[in-house]
Each structure stands twice: as structure tokens, then as C-alpha cells.
Amino acid sequence: NNRGGAFFLQAGGITVNNCILENNSTSAFGAALYASSGTLLMSNSFIRNNISGNQGGGMYVAGLSVLRVSNTVIYYYPCDALGGGAVLGTAEVRFTHCTFTGNSGGSGSAIYSLRAPMQFRNCIFWGDVGNEIQGTVPVVDHCIIEGGYPDGTHIIDADPNFKDGDYRIFACSPAVDAGDSLLAFTTDLDGNPRPFDGDGD
């Protein structure tokens, strides 16, 4: 009713793979997912079209020990206060190969960090309403971020050229060959091998 429309994690650990979390709502925290303790691993998934009345349109992480999210698209989360895409608490947080788009919030349209040590690598933040990342300064590397991110490294502020509703990109996208290939997974969301050719060009 007021937190965790799809998942409510209070202890232990959960692994979410190849899933779609959509059309959930909550009056307060974490429309799709709320986690107060434990470990969460998520990959190859879509979190979309969820609505929070307060904080964390996609997810609200209050106190997980570990949060790992990879190969996941997080989009269209309107919320009234903090973190359209996610509000992140005390967890050790790593997002790799993720896309945030179409999210909105009073502070941190994609991400609002309360105090979490965060890392975002090979990610795209584009088309969110307002400042993409706010709160505790994270490690941001090899990412496309609308408006830039001065505290990051290898940041591109250029339209990633999404070509469809699942946020694939055109061949002319500045994201092509812009990621850190050392972080590449064996396959992408479509099951194609990665890195595509592996020649660094």
C-alpha cells in the first residue's frame, strides 16, 4: 500500500533476472521495489511505468548491504519528492550497463542518493526531467548523461539516439564503442554477444 508495489525485501537475499516490473504504484516509497535489508542482484530486466506518491518511483533502497543492477532499463517513474528512478540508502550500490530515461522527481530525476557509496559505469541517463543525479556524489564512469556530470570521468553529453520503446540505439549513437569493454557482459538484453567485435574500435 505504501511501499514495494512489486517486491518488498526485508531480509535475506533476492536475485531478479529476465523480469519486467511494470504498472505498480505506492503512496510512499518504491513503487516497484522496496528493500530495507539484505542483498539484491538484478539483471536483464525492465522496470517501467511505476508511480510513487513520494520517493523512489522505481525503487527505494533503505538499507541493503549490497545492490547490483546490470543490463536493466529503468524508465517512466514520476514521483513527488526524491529519486524518480531510484532512492538509494546505505547499500554498496553498483549499476552497470543500465539506462535511465523518462523519470521525474523533485530532486534527482533518475537517482537520489541518501548516503550510499555508488558506482555507475557504462550507463545512459537521458530524457529525465530535471537533474539526473543528486545527493551523495557517486563514482560515474563511461556514461552518457544529459547535461553532463563534472564529477564523473569519460562522460558524454550527447543524445544517445534511442530508436525504439525498449531504448535500443541506432548505429550512429555516441554510445557505440564508448563504454569500458573490460566491464562487458557476455550478452546484451537481446542475447547478442558482447563486446560486439572486441577490437576496441
Side-chain angles (χ1 to χ4, degrees), residues 2 15 21 39 41 58 76 78 106 119-120 122 126 129 160 169 172 196:
N2 73 347
T15 299
L21 282 64
T39 299
L41 308 177
Y76 189 63
Q119 296 182 20
F120 296 92
N122 289 10
W126 198 268
V129 180
I169 54 174
C172 61
F196 181 70

Side-chain angles (χ1 to χ4, degrees), residues 29-121:
F29 307 108
L33 184 148
Y34 178 92
S36 61
S37 65
T39 299
L40 172 63
L41 308 177
M42 177 179 289
S43 63
N44 303 333
S45 296
F46 286 90
I47 309 176
R48 64 192 183 199
N49 300 331
N50 301 284
I51 299 175
S52 171
N54 193 350
Q55 301 180 21
M59 63 176 67
Y60 188 102
V61 177
L64 281 174
S65 55
V66 174
L67 172 66
R68 300 281 187 273
V69 184
S70 61
N71 270 9
T72 293
V73 181
I74 300 173
Y75 69 95
Y76 189 63
Y77 297 106
C79 73
D80 293 338
L82 305 178
V87 172
L88 305 173
T90 58
E92 180 189 335
V93 175
R94 294 183 187 174
F95 283 81
T96 311
H97 302 290
C98 292
T99 296
F100 296 82
T101 186
N103 304 296
S104 64
S107 296
S109 58
I111 296 291
Y112 189 88
S113 171
L114 299 173
R115 52 190 175 274
M118 298 189 297
Q119 296 182 20
F120 296 92
R121 303 182 188 274

Side-chain angles (χ1 to χ4, degrees), residues 5 13 24 90 102 151 165 185-186 190 200:
N24 301 287
T90 58
D151 294 311
F185 289 84
T186 55
D190 286 326

Side-chain angles (χ1 to χ4, degrees), residues 124 144 159-162 169-177:
I124 296 174
I144 290 181
D159 190 332
N161 292 326
F162 296 128
I169 54 174
F170 285 105
C172 61
S173 169
V176 174
D177 285 335

Side-chain angles (χ1 to χ4, degrees), residues 110-177:
I111 296 291
Y112 189 88
S113 171
L114 299 173
R115 52 190 175 274
M118 298 189 297
Q119 296 182 20
F120 296 92
R121 303 182 188 274
N122 289 10
C123 292
I124 296 174
F125 298 84
W126 198 268
D128 299 301
V129 180
N131 293 327
E132 299 281 354
I133 303 171
Q134 286 186 278
T136 304
V137 176
V139 173
V140 183
D141 182 56
H142 285 87
C143 291
I144 290 181
I145 302 180
E146 187 169 7
Y149 193 77
D151 294 311
T153 54
H154 306 101
I155 303 301
I156 297 172
D157 180 9
D159 190 332
N161 292 326
F162 296 128
K163 71 176 181 179
D164 60 25
D166 285 339
Y167 299 99
R168 295 171 179 85
I169 54 174
F170 285 105
C172 61
S173 169
V176 174
D177 285 335

